[in-house]
Each structure stands twice: as C-alpha cells, then as structure tokens.
Amino acid sequence: ADGSGWSAWNRIRCLCDHHPRLAVALELGLGKSPGSGCNERELQRWQGEPVRFVILRPGAFLTNRQGFPVLPRRLKALLEGLFRHKVEIIVAAGDPLEALEAAEGAAEDA
C-alpha cells in the first residue's frame, strides 16, 4: 500500500489547521484479504492520530480453526492501541459499494 489513506487524512488535517475537534474514522476490511491496503507503517501512523471510530467490514476478519471470525494479529494490535484512546468500533455487514449499487439499481427500476 502507498499510505494514500493516511496521506489524504494528513492533507485534510493541514487544511483545517490541525483543529482539535477534527477526528477520523478508519474503515478496515474493504480489500480482498484481511488487512489488505494497509502496510505496517501505515497502521502504526494511525496510532498517533485522533481516530474516533473504526468501521470493521467482514473482509477485516479471518476464520479460525473452529470457524469463528477473528482479526489478524496486526489489526488486533492496532485496535488494542486505539482502545487506549476511547475509540468506538462499528461492526458493519456487507460491502458499502454493493449496497449503493443495489440501491441505485432499485431506483432505476422504479
């Protein structure tokens, strides 16, 4: 990954003159594999940012031997670090782009 998520956040933060009420929501699990799109360096960068929410999509999880969803170690470590800053976790079902495309298709059919 090229760190584009953090770079975009950094640009917005700079444009807002590092306003103390500005915060960010991370959305994890949109890639094809758990944690895809985030390298270790980018995950560490988020530890020092004002992350208020983390949205976990189904793609963020692996399946353990018993068939239950679990987080990969590096995402679990990220969340453990963010919990110290009172981040809120949102577990979301499905792909937001698929939901949007389905809604647009239904609107066109009406």
Side-chain angles (χ1 to χ4, degrees):
D2 59 2
S4 61
W6 186 88
S7 296
W9 157 249
N10 193 46
R11 284 192 301 274
I12 291 168
R13 177 177 55 176
C14 290
L15 289 170
C16 295
D17 199 26
H18 298 277
H19 196 282
R21 293 188 65 185
L22 188 64
V24 67
L26 298 181
E27 188 166 17
L28 303 173
L30 290 173
K32 294 182 190 254
S33 63
S36 66
C38 292
N39 61 35
E40 198 65 34
R41 182 173 180 222
E42 185 171 2
L43 288 176
Q44 289 175 353
R45 281 179 161 177
W46 289 115
Q47 292 286 350
E49 301 300 335
V51 177
R52 179 130 344 126
F53 299 97
V54 175
I55 302 165
L56 293 174
R57 295 279 172 193
F61 295 90
L62 299 171
T63 304
N64 68 10
R65 290 180 185 161
Q66 292 80 28
F68 294 104
V70 295
L71 288 171
R73 287 184 181 162
R74 64 191 198 133
L75 292 184
K76 183 179 175 185
L78 171 69
L79 292 179
E80 287 171 346
L82 293 173
F83 282 143
R84 293 184 205 120
H85 303 285
K86 299 183 180 178
V87 69
E88 294 187 41
I89 305 299
I90 300 167
V91 179
D95 183 344
L97 295 178
E98 287 179 11
L100 180 61
E101 289 170 358
E104 288 174 348
E108 289 174 4
D109 292 340

